[in-house]
Amino acid sequence: MCHSSLRYRLLSPLFAVVLAAFAIPSTTALAESKPIVIKFSHVVAPDAPKGKAAAYFKALAEERTKGRVLIEVYPNSQLYKDKEEMEALQLGAVQMLAPSLAKFGPLGVKEFEIFDLPYIFPSKDVLRAVTEGPVGRNLLNKLEPKGIIGLAYWDNGFKIMSANRPLRSPEDFRGLKMRIQSSKVIDAQFRALGAFPQVMAFSEVYQALLTGVVDGTENPPSNMLTQQMEDVQKYATVSNHGYLGYAVIVNRKFWKSLPDDIRDTLEGAMAEATRYANVIAQSENDAALEAIKLSGKVEVYTLTPNDLEVWRMALLPVHREMEGRVGKEMLDTFYKEAAKFGFRN
Ligand code: LMR
């Protein structure tokens, strides 16, 4: 054995102790100083209801975890477009999303498309009873096998129709190319009106309307306004025919790996952000509709009670047609919730 290796062997236990003495505190210090980063990606503008709710959640979560968690919000499809963001979540490239309930079909969870059925929610109370009750929870649980946990439902609002020609009666849709989200129920809705639905990512809609790739679309007023679609649509109809809301979702593996106290704190912040989201959504959409009218760029028509009856008659058959896709039992459950509030389908 050479002299130096003997010396190394003699010194090494000492070294190990010294190293250990430094290593333990420094690792702990590192863990304390390095925040857990949650990337929250979404496709709307920061001043849309979802954008505001995401910013609210960020502020609450960071304050309550005292900086141990950092929420990075990426709005406006900055990181990913609709379909890609779902894949990114499953792969763990982002940790949190809030896609519209109309976008879960490609993931293999088609039951959420029940929310897209025309005139399925006669009032916000019925909607709330569904999303805050066991039905809503059961639906979110269907995401678990996909590696996703559903945390909450956030409102946007009821949609208006828009196009480059007036849309007063169902016949006015005949032959129009309409941009839709990926939902098969929305596809059926527009086919029932004689239109040609075209699935397209939200980030591409403005350009498609501008260039005439599509003639029209449907949006809650807040989405129409915050994407400046009033510049590229001449007519809109307040039809309140369909609902647009979100499921706030996280990567399951990531969420389970969080320290318990952090996860609890984040769940508390999410509960509060959800209340905020659902309070502001209505007033944001009311204000957006006013702003669209005031812009003078879009002629806005509101359906009369008579019009509404005609629209309902044209669109209600979509419920039966899509019963197989969204589940008959689920559909009956939704009807029962409506019946509790005195509504009949
Ligand atoms: C859409 O694609 O029209 C909406 O889902 C966008 C959104 O996230 O509100």
Side-chain angles (χ1 to χ4, degrees), residues 43-44 50 82 100 103 156 179 181 202 219 223 244 246:
V43 301
V44 298
K50 176 164 64 178
D82 297 331
S100 111
K103 291 178 181 167
N156 190 326
R179 177 270 169 173
Q181 306 174 80
F202 188 60
N219 277 299
N223 272 3
L244 187 133
Y246 309 106

Side-chain angles (χ1 to χ4, degrees), residues 34-40 68-72 74 94-95 254 258:
K34 215 166 154 240
I36 298 165
V37 175
I38 296 182
K39 290 191 174 143
F40 185 166
R68 282 170 72 199
V69 174
L70 191 69
I71 313 281
E72 292 178 356
Y74 297 94
V94 293
Q95 289 71 38
F254 167 78
L258 290 173

Side-chain angles (χ1 to χ4, degrees), residues 24 31 46 58 67 90 129 140 144 146 152 184 191 198-199 211-212 222 225 267-268 272 298 302 304 319 322 325:
I24 292 167
K58 170 185 165 68
Q90 286 184 296
L140 291 178
E144 289 237 6
K146 308 290 172 192
K184 291 275 186 279
R191 288 190 193 283
Q198 215 164 300
V199 176
T211 55
S222 61
L225 184 74
E267 281 172 359
E272 204 165 319
V298 183
T302 301
T304 64
H319 289 211
M322 287 288 114
R325 184 162 175 88

